[in-house]
Amino acid sequence: MIIEFEEKLLELIDARIESASDDELFAGGYLRGHISLSAASCEEEGVDDIDDFKRRIEASLEEARAELTPADRTIVNDLWTELLNHA
């Protein structure tokens, strides 16, 4: 279940590549890493709950908060929200 949701999120990111701005490309690449790491963590621990998967992604983003400027955090958070609305 998580693998399918991960694939859906990544497909949504990939579908935007041709028309994405530089900021959106950055946010997509950044989110891909957090999504994939969270999916791997869930798989390793035998977690199959989509809500737990989403929480792990959000926790991962929060932990990495200092890596991004406030403007970049906004771009990443906006894309994450959009992905959740379309997934």
Side-chain angles (χ1 to χ4, degrees):
M1 208 169 159
I2 286 180
I3 298 300
E4 293 85 5
F5 191 68
E6 173 193 20
E7 289 172 357
K8 178 66 174 170
L9 292 172
L10 298 180
E11 286 171 11
L12 287 168
I13 291 170
D14 290 345
R16 303 169 55 94
I17 288 176
E18 285 187 31
S19 62
S21 69
D22 288 344
D23 287 341
E24 291 168 331
L25 289 172
F26 162 75
Y30 189 80
L31 279 171
R32 285 182 77 85
H34 288 276
I35 291 166
S36 295
L37 286 172
S38 296
S41 167
C42 286
E43 184 177 353
E44 184 178 292
E45 296 175 25
V47 173
D48 200 32
D49 180 64
I50 297 295
D51 288 332
D52 190 27
F53 177 48
K54 291 177 191 176
R55 281 191 294 274
R56 287 174 187 239
I57 295 168
E58 290 166 359
S60 179
L61 290 170
E62 185 60 32
E63 287 173 21
R65 186 175 170 84
E67 294 177 348
L68 302 175
T69 65
D72 286 343
R73 276 197 305 270
T74 298
I75 294 165
V76 169
N77 288 334
D78 288 350
L79 179 55
W80 173 238
T81 300
E82 187 176 327
L83 292 175
L84 288 177
N85 289 334
H86 289 94

